[in-house]
Amino acid sequence: MAQPILVVGSVALDDIRTPFGAVRESFGGSAAFFALAAQCFAPVRMVAVVGTDLDSQYLETLRQRGIDTSGVEVAPGRTFRWGGAYGFDLNTRETLFTQLNVFEGFHPKVPTAFRDSPFVFLGNIHPDLQAEVLQQVEKPRFVALDTMNLWIENARDALLAVLQSVHLLIVNDAEARQLAGEANLVRAGRRLLALGPHTVVIKKGEHGALMVREDGMFASPALPLEEVRDPTGAGDAFAGGLLGHLAASPEPLGLALRHAIACGTVMASFAVQGFGMQGLLAARPEDIEPRLRSLRLLTQFGPADSLHEMGRK
Ligand code: AMP
């Protein structure tokens, strides 16, 4: 039986510009992208804040997928807004604006029924708010945390404090370098392990992901796709697939992590194929397994016979 995952993060209206088009006020946010990906594997409980301006249809879309939104507070004011623009190769992103709005006075309240959640994902929000969530949950089995340059620069001490209670840190390559003060990613990963987490996963956009642990490393490429429209939310979808698999797997965590990274890779591949949430919303549960198989074929090598066998199945 898959175990429940508690997620805290942003619910947002995003303005996004990529070389392939632009959207305004598109439903997004770290918690929303994560929840949509994770719910393909395990029950998801969401804690977040939205303003009174958010179209109720958006939260209804999450509920229709089985996501428990009873921890989403509706506060007077405007919903969090973020704007980003991508360069030609989609690997570089510029933040155009961040409007915290209802996040300004937000203090997450974890509903009593969510407090026993064995898996917790602290999505990208201020580290003080991430810490407030951890104070309200009872001995979670596994806590993962995502963050970004904004908090590494402006709230470093708070981030270092919350990292002490985290098992898995998920960051992108630039954030790993910035937080560790080290350009080499392997050495950066090792330095990040010294901050508290026993596992660090470094996302490298279209170049995949690298996991660093004391007992070794694991790397996965991203799925090569002919059509990539908008990378927004790929990182959160990756985290959703990863934690979703861990929450559903009967294997010990150490063993399940590699497969979990593959699930994260697959969910990120759906996310980038459409603007905003469209890619993830279009993905059906039965689409996951064929992509996992493609990823396995892409990375498997060895005697030609065994590859031939795999290709036939
Ligand atoms: P990703 O592309 O995985 O980094 O996630 C993009 C999502 O993160 C967008 O939907 C944004 O609304 C959200 N986001 C961007 N900046 C922040 C921030 N400072 N705090 C919370 N969420 C953010």
Side-chain angles (χ1 to χ4, degrees):
M1 252 301 268
Q3 297 187 290
I5 307 171
L6 171 69
V7 53
V8 61
S10 56
V11 172
L13 291 172
D14 293 334
D15 287 3
I16 305 164
R17 205 168 63 225
T18 85
F20 312 106
V23 284
R24 302 209 52 181
E25 307 232 315
S26 167
F27 183 50
S30 54
F33 281 111
F34 175 92
L36 265 183
Q39 62 81 29
C40 293
F41 302 84
V44 178
R45 302 161 164 180
M46 198 164 153
V47 169
V49 62
V50 300
T52 42
D53 59 344
L54 189 84
D55 188 336
S56 59
Q57 191 55 43
Y58 290 138
L59 291 183
E60 190 49 37
T61 304
L62 300 181
R63 281 192 285 271
Q64 278 167 4
R65 303 267 169 147
I67 296 161
D68 188 337
T69 62
S70 56
V72 180
E73 192 183 315
V74 183
R78 278 160 63 81
T79 299
F80 173 80
R81 278 167 172 76
W82 173 83
Y86 293 82
F88 176 65
D89 68 1
L90 296 177
N91 276 332
T92 49
R93 173 167 89 188
E94 187 193 347
T95 291
L96 300 175
F97 62 86
T98 302
Q99 296 172 3
L100 291 179
N101 299 334
V102 285
F103 260 113
E104 299 260 18
F106 176 60
H107 290 283
K109 287 177 236 21
V110 179
T112 314
F114 288 7
R115 293 192 179 169
D116 63 352
S117 302
F119 286 80
V120 177
F121 180 65
L122 304 172
N124 170 29
I125 49 171
H126 194 293
D128 280 342
L129 301 185
Q130 295 176 318
E132 285 180 31
V133 167
L134 276 193
Q135 281 153 15
Q136 297 172 59
V137 288
E138 300 150 9
K139 281 196 179 257
R141 202 177 137 213
F142 191 80
V143 180
L145 177 144
D146 184 13
T147 191
M148 70 183 294
N149 55 356
L150 182 69
W151 315 123
I152 298 171
E153 282 155 30
N154 301 339
R156 191 181 178 88
D157 288 346
L159 179 59
L160 293 179
V162 69
L163 274 174
Q164 301 280 331
S165 315
V166 164
H167 302 103
L168 165 66
L169 170 65
I170 308 180
V171 279
N172 70 29
D173 41 5
E175 292 154 359
R177 290 184 168 111
Q178 189 184 13
L179 183 56
E182 166 63 59
N184 177 285
L185 278 189
V186 177
R187 281 210 295 262
R190 295 213 180 285
R191 282 201 188 178
L192 297 177
L193 287 179
L195 301 179
H198 60 53
T199 306
V200 172
V201 173
I202 302 174
K203 300 167 289 179
K204 300 188 290 173
E206 66 174 331
H207 305 299
L210 173 72
M211 174 171 75
V212 182
R213 282 164 56 92
E214 282 304 337
D215 59 3
M217 290 190 284
F218 174 71
S220 169
L223 269 173
L225 301 167
E226 290 208 19
E227 264 201 297
V228 176
R229 292 198 180 83
D230 171 20
T232 307
D236 302 303
F238 175 88
L242 194 166
L243 260 81
H245 176 80
L246 291 182
S249 170
E251 287 182 312
L253 282 173
L255 288 180
L257 272 166
R258 289 172 177 231
H259 199 152
I261 287 177
C263 291
T265 300
V266 165
M267 297 318 291
S269 77
F270 293 127
V272 300
Q273 287 191 297
F275 267 89
M277 210 72 99
Q278 293 312 316
L280 270 183
L281 286 173
R284 297 160 308 163
E286 59 268 33
D287 298 330
I288 296 174
E289 196 49 45
R291 287 207 179 185
L292 279 172
R293 218 177 303 132
S294 303
L295 185 62
R296 208 172 285 129
L297 271 175
L298 181 73
T299 51
Q300 187 88 13
F301 64 91
D305 283 357
S306 64
L307 279 185
H308 188 62
E309 257 318 290
M310 279 187 69
R312 275 197 311 204
K313 276 181 196 155

